[in-house]
Amino acid sequence: MAYWLLKTEPSEFSIDDLEALGSKTEPWDGIRNYQARNIMRDKIKVGDKALIYHSSCKDVGAVGTAEVVENAYPDPAQFNPKSKYYDPKSNRDNPRWVCVGVKFLSKFDNIVALKQIKSTPALAEMVLVKQGRLSVQPVTAKEWKVINQMAKG
DNA sequence: GCCAACGTTGGC
DNA sequence: GCCAACGTTGGC
């Protein structure tokens, strides 16, 4: 069982939207970055857990957790010309992009802000701190524990 | 809205 | 295969 961090823009899809789905599966689609794609395709497995992270918004940080309930499969949005995630260079015989399915686990009592993460020595090695622009990234068991502890306030 | 970091594209 | 131009991400 492994841990991950999934970024989302709350104006597009927030932890509240995920919570509202209850135990329903949400396809984590629209990832259009090869590094992130490879992690989803090769590493993320059913039963893994993920921090949900709000980016590009007022309160940037980790806001809750989700569980992986579906392994990687072709992201349907890449084939839909109406979708903003449409990719004309992809095709069904050889799909370029994948997504995984997740479901809501928890919403944090307190958001663990990026600022706090950056000022916590135990979290200094997080990919989030070292490489800001990756939207799907690994989290160690230690980092997972520390952040969940901080979330309780 | 600005801009730094960095990934992708395309000419050669 | 190099690298400049360009586009996107994402914090501030």
Side-chain angles (χ1 to χ4, degrees), chain A residues 5 7 9 15 23 38 41 49 54-55 77-78 88 99-100 108 111 116-117 123 131 133 139 146 152:
Chain A
L5 182 146
K7 287 189 191 175
E9 299 188 15
I15 187 70
S23 59
N38 292 347
R41 187 189 60 196
K49 290 178 181 175
H54 282 176
S55 67
Q78 69 194 307
C99 60
V100 296
F108 290 160
I111 178 175
Q116 287 173 269
I117 291 172
L123 302 176
Q131 184 185 347
R133 292 170 71 260
V139 170
V146 169
K152 289 177 194 157

Side-chain angles (χ1 to χ4, degrees), chain A residues 66-80:
Chain A
E67 181 175 346
V68 177
V69 290
E70 270 182 279
N71 291 334
Y73 62 95
D75 179 348
Q78 69 194 307
F79 306 125
N80 179 2

Side-chain angles (χ1 to χ4, degrees), chain A residues 37-121:
Chain A
R37 190 273 313 264
N38 292 347
I39 291 172
M40 290 200 294
R41 187 189 60 196
D42 304 334
K43 304 280 176 60
I44 300 187
K45 298 295 170 203
V46 168
D48 287 355
K49 290 178 181 175
L51 293 168
I52 302 299
Y53 177 93
H54 282 176
S55 67
S56 300
C57 62
K58 188 165 145 284
D59 296 311
V60 171
V63 292
T65 62
E67 181 175 346
V68 177
V69 290
E70 270 182 279
N71 291 334
Y73 62 95
D75 179 348
Q78 69 194 307
F79 306 125
N80 179 2
K82 299 260 175 65
S83 169
K84 71 176 206 174
Y85 299 122
Y86 178 60
D87 184 349
K89 290 176 188 162
S90 185
N91 62 73
R92 288 176 192 277
D93 294 333
N94 187 20
R96 182 179 288 195
W97 306 110
V98 301
C99 60
V100 296
V102 302
K103 73 168 188 194
F104 176 79
L105 269 191
S106 72
K107 181 181 172 179
F108 290 160
D109 295 331
N110 303 308
I111 178 175
V112 181
L114 179 60
K115 200 185 277 184
Q116 287 173 269
I117 291 172
K118 283 182 172 168
S119 62
T120 303

Side-chain angles (χ1 to χ4, degrees), chain A residues 3 51 64-65 106 108 112 143-153:
Chain A
Y3 298 104
L51 293 168
T65 62
S106 72
F108 290 160
V112 181
E143 290 159 357
W144 175 269
K145 202 173 158 190
V146 169
I147 286 178
N148 275 275
Q149 199 59 44
M150 289 165 77
K152 289 177 194 157

